[in-house]
Amino acid sequence: MKDDKQMRKWLDDFSLPHPLVIAGPCSAETEEQVLQIARELKNSDATIYRAGIWKPRTRPGGFEGVGAIGLQWLQKAKAETGLLMAVEVANATHVKLALEHDIDVLWIGARTTVNPFAVQEIADALANTDKIVLVKNPVNPDLGLWLGGVERLYNAGIKKLGVVHRGFSTYEKTKYRNTPEWQIAIDLQSRFPDLPLICDPSHISGRRDMIQEVSQQALDLNYDGLMIETHINPDEAWSDAKQQVTPTVLKQILKDLRVRQLSTEAGDFNSEMLKLRANIDIDDSKLLEILGHRMKIAEQIGALKKANNIAVLQNKRWNEVLEKMILEGEQKGLNEEFILRIFKAIHEESISHQRKIMNS
Ligand code: PEP
Ligand code: MN
């Protein structure tokens, strides 16, 4: 994608004084529900109205969407409120119907982004239209697959592109419905800074009391927009009831969010930042020096083990180190999960240094 500058033009063209807001129900349920929610969102910061018409359900038996009839309801909502309309598409038939009903924004869901055949079919059906197309991250944490989806659309001549971060499935249950793995979106942002990045806190959190916190985190990381599931009567929603908020709550969430600036001209901010960053740089160099030194010791241990034909991995010792470091880390205000990640990485590198010596 050579010319990603073009990609954010659609977003800049809205000239919004705040991040882009996409709001609306998980699913369109009835004409009245679609219209009621849209009316409530008309006088809000929302620019785009979302509603699922075809719902990909992980297991059969759930509500699978109202189908094409819902597109007519969206057309009515658009005529009445002026909001742009967005639906999820998963195949060429969905695209064809959405285009026939003048839908403005099409998004590709997480369960579709994983499938290059499906994404290509959608890209071919959309070829050279000027629709806004948003690609949700695939259910698995794979940046290549996510970018691959964007590239397929880009190669089909679609220039108004964006990505939606909705988190990743895990087998273990965490506090999130889909763990955010923010680093993946940060990597994407640093590689394609002009590809609009939108957070979907509803599907990340899976519960309405976390929407505010996850949205704020996204804004702190410079996201360009939010997609928040909004329903007139969330508890009675036909899908994703736990994570939807009312239009009133949505407005309060948006009001309470703090939008950060990318930079400032303020001299005292910049000089203080320079000082603090210089201190960070010194610490980073020290960290590397200590790590290098630690690996030299590991190599000496490797030589000693080799001379005595002793196995590299000593589980008991390794578990003792981990436990001790978690305790010490806690006293220094460092989170257990972080200590585990760091020390596992150090241990892996240490083993590789030892093995090099032992097998030389
Ligand atoms: C949705 O937006 O309602 C949806 C089905 O999302 P996802 O593809 O992120 O699961
Ligand atoms: Mn949903």
Side-chain angles (χ1 to χ4, degrees):
M1 295 183 293
K2 305 167 289 303
D3 196 8
D4 53 331
K5 282 268 181 299
Q6 274 190 63
M7 290 183 189
R8 72 176 313 109
K9 198 180 165 301
W10 64 270
L11 184 55
D12 294 340
D13 283 349
F14 288 135
S15 299
L16 298 171
H18 51 71
L20 175 74
V21 177
I22 304 173
C26 177
S27 302
E29 297 166 3
T30 64
E31 179 171 337
E32 196 43 37
Q33 173 246 20
V34 165
L35 288 173
Q36 258 187 321
I37 301 169
R39 283 178 198 132
E40 296 252 353
L41 291 174
K42 185 177 184 231
N43 299 310
S44 74
D45 284 346
T47 304
I48 300 175
Y49 186 79
R50 64 147 287 156
I53 299 293
W54 301 283
K55 299 303 296 178
R57 307 316 299 265
T58 301
R59 306 194 46 195
F63 171 59
E64 298 198 320
V66 293
I69 180 92
L71 295 167
Q72 295 171 25
W73 308 340
L74 292 180
Q75 278 187 301
K76 283 193 188 164
K78 179 172 162 175
E80 198 180 310
T81 63
L83 291 163
L84 298 183
M85 295 292 135
V87 295
E88 171 172 351
V89 290
N91 58 41
T93 310
H94 295 167
V95 171
K96 185 171 168 283
L97 286 163
L99 294 179
E100 281 168 12
H101 289 81
D102 207 20
I103 296 296
D104 308 282
V105 180
L106 298 94
W107 87 82
I108 298 181
R111 292 166 196 73
T112 305
T113 308
V114 287
N115 180 352
F117 288 132
V119 176
Q120 190 59 51
E121 177 183 320
I122 294 167
D124 292 343
L126 274 167
N128 301 316
T129 61
D130 72 341
K131 297 294 174 186
I132 298 169
V133 184
L134 306 175
V135 182
K136 283 198 164 194
N137 68 254
V139 284
N140 56 325
D142 184 336
L143 180 55
L145 204 46
W146 196 2
L147 283 172
V150 177
E151 283 160 351
R152 283 178 197 281
L153 293 156
Y154 185 84
N155 292 343
I158 295 148
K159 295 291 184 281
K160 298 179 179 173
L161 288 164
V163 289
V164 180
H165 176 208
R166 51 77 81 194
F168 303 90
S169 292
T170 52
Y171 181 60
E172 284 156 55
K173 289 292 152 242
T174 70
K175 72 170 179 169
Y176 299 103
R177 175 178 176 190
N178 295 298
T179 55
E181 310 221 29
W182 296 102
Q183 191 58 45
I184 295 178
I186 294 171
D187 285 350
L188 182 143
Q189 207 183 29
S190 51
R191 279 170 60 187
F192 297 99
D194 288 306
L195 182 57
L197 174 59
I198 293 158
C199 180
D200 172 347
S202 309
H203 289 88
I204 287 179
S205 65
R207 37 189 282 195
R208 62 181 73 106
D209 63 350
M210 273 172 69
I211 307 278
Q212 178 89 43
E213 169 194 332
V214 175
S215 301
Q216 185 62 57
Q217 179 144 9
L219 295 195
D220 290 347
L221 295 172
N222 276 329
Y223 279 52
D224 299 289
L226 298 167
M227 180 192 263
I228 301 180
E229 286 187 341
T230 311
H231 196 286
I232 207 81
N233 189 357
D235 285 329
E236 299 300 319
W238 298 2
S239 59
D240 289 350
K242 288 200 183 89
Q243 70 196 32
Q244 304 205 56
V245 295
T246 62
T248 311
V249 169
L250 175 81
K251 287 175 200 169
Q252 190 60 46
I253 288 173
L254 297 176
K255 198 162 149 237
D256 291 343
L257 284 173
R258 292 171 303 277
V259 181
R260 318 289 189 187
Q261 299 169 259
L262 211 47
S263 59
T264 165
E265 296 295 306
D268 43 355
F269 167 83
N270 286 311
S271 64
E272 191 59 24
M273 274 302 270
L274 270 180
K275 254 192 275 168
L276 292 171
R277 285 188 170 150
N279 288 341
I280 291 268
D281 289 348
I282 292 170
D283 276 4
D284 284 347
S285 298
K286 277 194 211 155
L287 279 173
L288 284 188
E289 197 170 314
I290 291 173
L291 284 172
H293 184 256
R294 193 188 189 285
M295 293 309 151
K296 288 275 176 301
I297 301 176
E299 285 167 14
Q300 290 171 12
I301 291 180
L304 197 60
K305 284 180 180 165
K306 180 180 184 178
N308 294 278
N309 202 30
I310 300 293
V312 172
L313 181 61
Q314 302 282 323
N315 255 321
K316 186 164 169 287
R317 157 78 183 157
W318 166 230
N319 286 326
E320 283 164 8
V321 169
L322 266 188
E323 266 168 45
K324 184 159 171 281
M325 289 302 103
I326 288 172
L327 278 181
E328 279 185 30
E330 216 167 72
Q331 286 158 12
K332 296 189 161 56
L334 302 170
N335 166 288
E336 170 169 344
E337 206 185 308
F338 170 69
I339 295 287
L340 279 174
R341 260 191 291 144
I342 287 243
F343 275 89
K344 280 182 184 169
I346 291 175
H347 190 236
E348 206 178 307
E349 180 71 6
S350 190
I351 286 180
S352 129
H353 279 254
Q354 286 190 35
R355 289 197 61 238
K356 223 182 278 161
I357 298 287
M358 295 180 76
N359 294 306
S360 64

